[in-house]
Amino acid sequence: MNFRAPHCSTPCTVLTATVKEFLAEFLGTFVLVLFGCGSVAQTVLSRNTLGEPLTVHIGFSVGLMMAAYVAGGVSGGHVNPAVSLAMVILGKLKIWKFPFYVIAQFLGAFAGAAAVFGLYYDAFMDFTSGILSVTGINATGHIFASYPARHLSILGGFIDQVVGTGMLVLCILAIIDGGNIGAPKGVEPLAIGLIIMAIGVSMGLNCGYPLNPARDLGPRLFTAVAGWGMEVFRYTAGYWWWIPVAGPMVGGVIAAVIYYLLIELHHHRDEPDNSLKDKYEMITMS
């Protein structure tokens, strides 16, 4: 009896690589949301006795850093559809892989939100007396997804997300650009985490810098089915939920084009072409 594995052709190899990348993006996004939304949950549910805004900034910054370490060597550690789309625009990710990355990211974010809710279930019940709501003194919906500040218009929120995500993607491209100063191998996730810290302390007033369609919509979907109801989608007259989905995608594309035209395009071509040396690209271009 022959117990040897059957011969695996090239399509089988591609499928195996795609599955690995899918699982890496899933787990990386799970880590991001668990640390990020977990830091918000600890702050809110303790009524600020075990957290403050800086706690949340650190939670999301370290969460993204750890997510990049977890997934970076396998899938590139995008953990954000806006980043994946930027890589597609620049030719650093094959377009047919894009849907798999996005699905994995959304599922990872959904699972991360479920993990935070499970971890703090008793605290949620104590804080809310069992009534899960988006508004009011005991509101908890904002633990998982972004909601606009009272002063923010729909247009203002869209611009906020375009600019914030644009800066995130622009700085990521600089960090992984071998033709620029870049970052030492293995230090890239730390540098990328610091981008979130910078954005958090400078652009967090309007809506809490979601910057990531998967990180926002995945947990929002979880809250819709976990007890908060459809109010998570109906909040504000302009139906806010689509802003942190569409805005980041636009911002990522704009940032990719700007970085290419103003920086990457002007690298010296007579030198070895290490431009946009992809600590992200190693696997995604396979």
Side-chain angles (χ1 to χ4, degrees), residues 210-230:
L211 314 177
N212 182 335
R215 168 264 172 277
D216 196 84
L217 185 57
R220 194 182 301 274
L221 286 168
F222 172 78
T223 56
V225 301
W228 282 262
M230 295 306 293

Side-chain angles (χ1 to χ4, degrees), residues 45-47 120-132 138:
L45 299 177
S46 70
R47 300 188 186 276
Y120 283 120
Y121 179 80
D122 292 335
F124 272 103
M125 294 301 104
D126 179 67
F127 184 89
T128 65
S129 299
I131 302 173
L132 303 174
N138 290 328

